[in-house]
Amino acid sequence: MYSDKVIDHFENPRNVGQLENPSGVGTVGNAKCGDIMRIYLDIDDDGIIQDVKFKTFGCGAAVASSSMATEMVKGKTVDEALKITNRAVMEALHGLPPEKIHCSLLAEEAIHAALWDYAQKEGIEIEGLEKPKTDIGEHEHEEAPEEDY
């Protein structure tokens, strides 16, 4: 059911915790399944993500998606981080069952929410970044149709 990569990131999650003075924090959830994901970013003056941490309340797929997403954004520029999609998270995990695709959506949106928070704090605009939704529900993404929930 789950790939070895998902199991590894669930049993040995990377970047768990929180940052003391984060540049941006993003919290999103899915009211239907109860998963809540929070990502903390430390972004330097050059717009590079130096550190990232997460806290997730949810299933194994949510923890694994959070862990993988943090690994994917570390060392990236803000613009590169913005381009990380739920599909990229799923591919990096070697797939998720259809009923768990929403976990990768949460990871993508948590990154966006943290980038939004960073932009608000810095008084900047990040091209292509829209105000994130805090509740990721059905019909939120074309790659995760309703029947996948």
Side-chain angles (χ1 to χ4, degrees):
M1 180 170 174
Y2 289 113
S3 72
D4 290 343
K5 196 71 125 169
V6 171
I7 292 168
D8 180 42
H9 274 268
F10 169 66
E11 292 180 343
N12 306 291
R14 285 68 153 176
N15 308 305
V16 175
Q18 66 186 50
L19 297 173
E20 279 297 315
N21 295 303
S23 306
V25 179
T27 304
V28 296
N30 181 306
K32 185 173 181 181
C33 71
D35 293 337
I36 300 170
M37 192 176 293
R38 179 172 290 155
I39 290 187
Y40 303 82
L41 299 176
D42 177 26
I43 303 170
D44 70 14
D45 292 338
D46 294 323
I48 297 173
I49 299 170
Q50 295 297 316
D51 200 4
V52 57
K53 300 284 186 197
F54 80 91
K55 287 187 170 183
T56 293
F57 177 83
C59 65
V63 171
S65 293
S66 302
S67 175
M68 180 57 77
T70 61
E71 287 288 280
M72 293 173 75
V73 301
K74 192 182 285 186
K76 299 280 194 279
T77 66
V78 167
D79 290 335
E80 290 169 332
L82 182 60
K83 293 176 183 165
I84 293 173
T85 64
N86 75 300
R87 183 176 295 275
V89 172
M90 283 192 303
E91 287 173 1
L93 288 170
H94 301 162
L96 287 172
E99 66 275 9
K100 296 297 181 178
I101 289 173
H102 68 275
C103 296
S104 64
L105 284 169
L106 286 172
E108 176 185 336
E109 288 303 316
I111 293 167
H112 291 177
L115 291 171
W116 180 267
D117 184 50
Y118 162 72
Q120 296 298 298
K121 288 177 179 176
E122 294 294 316
I124 61 172
E125 185 175 322
I126 299 171
E127 188 176 332
L129 180 63
E130 298 177 5
K131 184 173 178 151
K133 295 175 174 68
T134 54
D135 181 18
I136 310 304
E138 296 176 0
H139 312 295
E140 292 296 330
H141 203 278
E142 62 193 47
E143 294 171 16
E146 181 178 344
E147 62 270 12
D148 286 344
Y149 284 90

